[in-house]
Amino acid sequence: MAADKRRISILGSTGSIGVNTLDVVNQLGGRDAYDVVAITGSSNITLLAEQARSSGARLAVTADESRYAELKEALAGSGTEVAAGREALIEAASMEADWVMAAIVGTAGLAPTLAAARRGADIALANKECLVSAGELFVKAVAEGGGRLIPVDSEHSAIFQSLEDDQHHAVERIVLTASGGPFRTWTRERMAGVTADIARAHPNWSMGLKISIGSASMFNKALEMIEAKHLFDLRPEQIEVIVHPQSIIHSMVGYTDGSVLAQLGCPDMRTAIGYALTYPNRPKLDVERLDFAKLARLDFEAPDEIRFPALRLARTALERGGVQGAVMNGAEETAFHAFCDGRIGFLSMADVVERVMEDMVQFSAASTMEEVFAADAEARRRAREVIARGEMVA
């Protein structure tokens, strides 16, 4: 390996963020510029094997232990080592990479990302659950490891880019923009009949199923509110959400002098990924450029927390603190799977989460990751009970 090659790993390489990350890597020199240490995926073995071969990855890991033999056969003769299972994901994250893309969806990504942070890698964070469920502990682990935490969500990347050095004391508020999703103008009555196939069709972004449905329900934005608190050391009242259907302004920072700094761009995750990969520099990327003459207008509207109660639940979690983020996230993931399986309706997801949060309001702050996982597990158990009993209002 050339001494000037940057060593990178991609946790969740077969998802939309992972695919776009490899595209950015190829645009910026590919194997001549980057040494891909490890890539991980789940069930898409064909794509994972293709990625390993094209990137020259040293290790490819599938989270699904039952697919080990299939991946092993697909990479026979490639020189890429193969592993499978939860412990293998953690081992992949623990390998000597300078930069790790954390893009495993859901709580499954928490342990591997934490392992990379403790080792001291720069973490490009696309996994919300690390901060939503274990914000204080995760930020502490990054600091103790000595690496940097660079957000990849377009909204948090925009805030990161709009924060002026040494001016945290002058930050009055941050404004997370939300597209409003496919149901921005729908009534609750119409939303009640939504299926997973309908909900996954985002008007602006191309994303995976979990994030697409999270955008439709605005649970994605709710989790981003909690994430922002830990990323930028904010008070709950400093975090705002505004609906911006065009998704051109990705988020904003308001300062005490009345100034508002924003980051704009065409909806393309590769911009935020490229910035995280080359930070503090800016790469040259083949992405669409904004044509201001064609924009015509930029619209904004206040979010409707009656039709989208996830935002209200996020504020409750922020105000309560402790493990309420982990409780909210665990219940939401459980409700999401039940919705995708057709066992509950679209509007019932928020009802499940609210009932579990109220049931677990007494749970206190966590001082260890084990306590976070325990709160998460209990939230999922209670969510399953609520669903099984059919106690949802919606």
Side-chain angles (χ1 to χ4, degrees):
M1 182 188 76
D4 58 348
K5 280 190 180 182
R6 194 174 192 197
R7 300 171 300 176
I8 67 172
S9 289
I10 304 171
L11 309 180
S13 66
T14 57
S16 59
I17 295 293
V19 169
N20 278 306
T21 299
L22 285 168
D23 181 81
V24 169
V25 167
N26 288 332
Q27 286 194 44
L28 300 181
R31 297 170 72 164
D32 292 333
Y34 294 95
D35 173 29
V36 179
V37 176
I39 60 173
T40 79
S42 183
S43 59
N44 194 339
I45 301 301
T46 299
L47 178 57
L48 183 61
E50 289 175 356
Q51 291 176 334
R53 287 183 179 276
S54 62
S55 68
R58 292 191 236 162
L59 173 67
V61 176
T62 171
D64 187 345
E65 291 185 357
S66 69
R67 309 294 292 276
Y68 172 79
E70 184 181 349
L71 181 60
K72 183 77 171 177
E73 181 180 357
L75 286 172
S78 67
T80 298
E81 293 185 25
V82 173
R86 181 179 180 276
E87 291 303 317
L89 290 178
I90 296 173
E91 290 175 10
S94 302
M95 293 177 69
E96 290 295 325
D98 307 307
W99 182 91
V100 174
M101 169 58 76
I104 298 175
V105 175
T107 308
L110 181 51
T113 307
L114 189 64
R118 285 172 171 163
R119 189 182 50 73
D122 286 347
I123 306 296
L125 190 66
N127 172 288
K128 291 178 174 55
E129 289 73 18
C130 289
L131 291 175
V132 172
S133 296
E136 293 178 5
L137 293 174
F138 186 77
V139 170
K140 181 181 178 183
V142 173
E144 291 176 348
R148 299 178 295 185
L149 184 59
I150 308 170
V152 172
D153 275 346
S154 61
E155 296 83 359
H156 296 114
S157 177
I159 295 166
F160 188 72
Q161 295 180 55
S162 300
L163 286 170
E164 296 183 313
D165 291 342
D166 302 319
Q167 292 298 309
H168 186 275
H169 66 280
V171 173
E172 192 170 69
R173 59 180 175 149
I174 62 103
V175 183
L176 296 167
T177 58
S179 70
F183 312 134
R184 179 175 61 87
T185 61
W186 288 31
T187 63
R188 275 184 62 86
E189 290 73 22
R190 188 180 178 192
M191 290 162 66
V194 162
T195 65
D197 285 340
I198 297 172
R200 71 185 305 166
H202 194 278
N204 298 331
W205 298 90
S206 176
M207 305 178 293
L209 179 64
K210 178 68 167 66
I211 299 176
S212 295
I213 292 178
S215 176
S217 65
M218 293 197 78
F219 262 108
N220 200 43
K221 198 59 51 181
L223 298 181
E224 287 175 7
M225 293 168 65
I226 301 173
E227 191 178 6
K229 175 190 183 298
H230 298 290
L231 269 173
F232 307 114
D233 189 22
L234 300 168
R235 301 185 305 277
E237 64 270 20
Q238 289 179 288
I239 303 168
E240 299 180 11
V241 173
I242 193 76
V243 174
H244 169 47
Q246 292 88 356
S247 297
I248 296 298
I249 295 177
H250 299 307
S251 280
M252 300 170 272
V253 178
Y255 290 92
T256 51
D257 64 353
S259 299
V260 178
L261 301 188
Q263 186 263 338
L264 289 71
C266 295
D268 192 324
M269 284 307 305
R270 292 176 297 178
T271 298
I273 292 168
Y275 187 71
L277 181 59
T278 62
Y279 177 78
N281 301 311
R282 290 187 181 273
K284 180 177 175 58
L285 293 176
D286 181 19
V287 296
E288 183 182 357
R289 267 51 175 175
L290 272 181
D291 186 334
F292 286 95
K294 292 181 179 178
L295 275 180
R297 58 186 289 174
L298 297 175
D299 297 307
F300 304 92
E301 59 191 59
D304 184 344
E305 295 188 6
I306 295 177
R307 288 185 299 129
F308 299 100
L311 302 178
R312 172 176 55 81
L313 296 176
R315 294 211 175 278
T316 298
L318 284 168
E319 290 163 4
R320 289 176 180 170
V323 294
Q324 280 288 294
V327 169
M328 179 179 175
N329 181 73
E332 188 276 331
E333 282 193 17
T334 305
F336 159 76
H337 289 298
F339 168 64
C340 290
D341 293 342
R343 290 182 284 125
I344 63 173
F346 180 76
L347 297 178
S348 295
M349 289 189 288
D351 199 41
V352 170
V353 174
E354 184 164 18
R355 285 174 179 268
V356 173
M357 288 177 66
E358 290 305 312
D359 284 348
M360 297 182 66
V361 68
Q362 77 281 5
F363 276 58
S364 59
S367 57
T368 67
M369 289 304 303
E370 288 71 23
E371 291 172 339
V372 170
F373 287 126
D376 173 85
E378 179 63 13
R380 292 170 191 270
R381 185 188 69 79
R382 297 193 187 201
R384 289 192 295 270
E385 288 184 351
V386 170
I387 293 166
R389 292 195 297 261
E391 295 179 349
M392 297 74 65
V393 173

